Amino acid sequence: MKIAVCIKQVPDSWAEKKMVNGVLDRESVDAVLNDLDEYAVEEALRIVEAHGGNEEGGAHTVTLISMGPERATDALRKGLSMGANDAILVTDAALAAADALSTSRVLAQVIGDGGYDIVICGTESTDARMSVVPAMISARLGWAQLTFAAKVVVDPGGKVSITRVTEAGVDEISAAFPVVISVVEKINEPRYPSFKGIMAAKKKTIEQKDLAAVGVSAQSGWSEVIDATPRPARAAGVKVNDEGGAGDALVSFLAEKKLI
């Protein structure tokens, strides 16, 4: 099996963020591997380990694929230290502020050229929270999509089955290779990179490609932010002094807001 895992480097969730000219300022905050993508990396590693491992020269491999600035190699190195075999980074100045449509096109092109059987993604990135790229990749490739998986079972003969928990119950879904999967954070517990894994990651290959090498034009649907306005400061709430009529005041307030 050849498994690709799409990952993204994002601003640290705990960092104070700001917008500059309508675009998130990514340079002024620490950048980390998207938390939700770690579950995708872990699940890919568990799949290959359950079928013989992904040792060098073996039949099963895990390749990390990312799109972003050159410093995104740090996020890729973390995934490699967890145990992935190699990585691909698409980096090009023309990709700045690329939207989900553009991102999915670039990733789909790289994946389609790679001959992968399975693509695994996290459910969303913590900077955009759109949760649409996995579905977009599957649509562009014409592959089956198995999204929001809480459990994944792979038959090396070419079939993937997932369990998905929804508001209506539990879904059991399956599809044949090739397939795109997104996994939820409850699917596993990502491993901590060992010292051996960290040292080994330094020797693993990260192939860098620009848009020309990928074969995608920079004019393929990039969006542009025309205007952005900071969120207004939060207004003070309504204060009710209870002098015997607080209950009526509360009811009136809720009715005014159409909450009752």
Side-chain angles (χ1 to χ4, degrees), residues 125-209:
S125 61
T126 56
D127 57 348
R129 296 286 185 184
M130 294 188 68
S131 192
V132 296
V133 170
M136 287 181 172
I137 291 173
S138 71
R140 291 187 181 280
L141 293 171
W143 295 4
Q145 60 169 304
L146 303 175
T147 52
F148 300 99
K151 180 181 179 181
V152 178
V153 177
V154 176
D155 178 349
K159 179 181 177 181
V160 182
S161 301
I162 73 159
T163 300
R164 178 171 61 195
V165 179
T166 70
E167 293 180 355
V170 178
D171 296 335
E172 299 286 346
I173 310 171
S174 63
F177 293 172
V179 63
V180 178
I181 306 170
S182 68
V183 298
V184 299
E185 58 186 301
K186 293 183 179 180
I187 193 170
N188 58 46
E189 184 65 34
R191 68 194 66 186
Y192 288 101
S194 64
F195 178 75
K196 180 181 178 180
I198 293 171
M199 298 306 294
K202 295 180 179 181
K203 300 178 181 179
K204 292 180 179 178
T205 301
I206 298 180
E207 180 183 3
Q208 292 194 20
K209 296 184 176 185

Side-chain angles (χ1 to χ4, degrees), residues 14-198:
W14 298 99
E16 185 70 26
K17 305 175 187 66
K18 61 180 180 179
M19 303 289 286
V20 177
N21 298 323
V23 178
L24 178 64
D25 180 12
R26 297 176 180 271
E27 297 300 321
S28 63
V29 296
D30 291 334
V32 298
L33 172 59
N34 180 45
D35 294 345
L36 300 176
D37 291 342
E38 292 189 29
Y39 299 94
V41 176
E42 176 65 27
E43 193 61 23
L45 295 173
R46 292 190 182 197
I47 290 171
V48 296
E49 287 168 357
H51 295 91
N54 63 327
E55 297 301 321
E56 185 175 352
H60 310 303
T61 59
V62 175
T63 298
L64 308 178
I65 301 176
S66 186
M67 189 184 97
E70 190 166 345
R71 72 171 182 167
T73 54
D74 293 339
L76 289 167
R77 290 290 177 198
K78 181 173 182 180
L80 292 172
S81 68
M82 291 173 68
N85 296 84
D86 52 24
I88 299 171
L89 173 64
V90 182
T91 183
D92 195 303
L95 288 170
D99 58 11
L101 286 168
S102 308
T103 299
S104 66
R105 178 165 186 174
V106 172
L107 294 177
Q109 186 70 38
V110 175
I111 292 165
D113 292 341
Y116 300 101
D117 301 301
I118 301 173
V119 176
I120 305 180
C121 310
T123 52
E124 61 186 4
S125 61
T126 56
D127 57 348
R129 296 286 185 184
M130 294 188 68
S131 192
V132 296
V133 170
M136 287 181 172
I137 291 173
S138 71
R140 291 187 181 280
L141 293 171
W143 295 4
Q145 60 169 304
L146 303 175
T147 52
F148 300 99
K151 180 181 179 181
V152 178
V153 177
V154 176
D155 178 349
K159 179 181 177 181
V160 182
S161 301
I162 73 159
T163 300
R164 178 171 61 195
V165 179
T166 70
E167 293 180 355
V170 178
D171 296 335
E172 299 286 346
I173 310 171
S174 63
F177 293 172
V179 63
V180 178
I181 306 170
S182 68
V183 298
V184 299
E185 58 186 301
K186 293 183 179 180
I187 193 170
N188 58 46
E189 184 65 34
R191 68 194 66 186
Y192 288 101
S194 64
F195 178 75
K196 180 181 178 180
I198 293 171

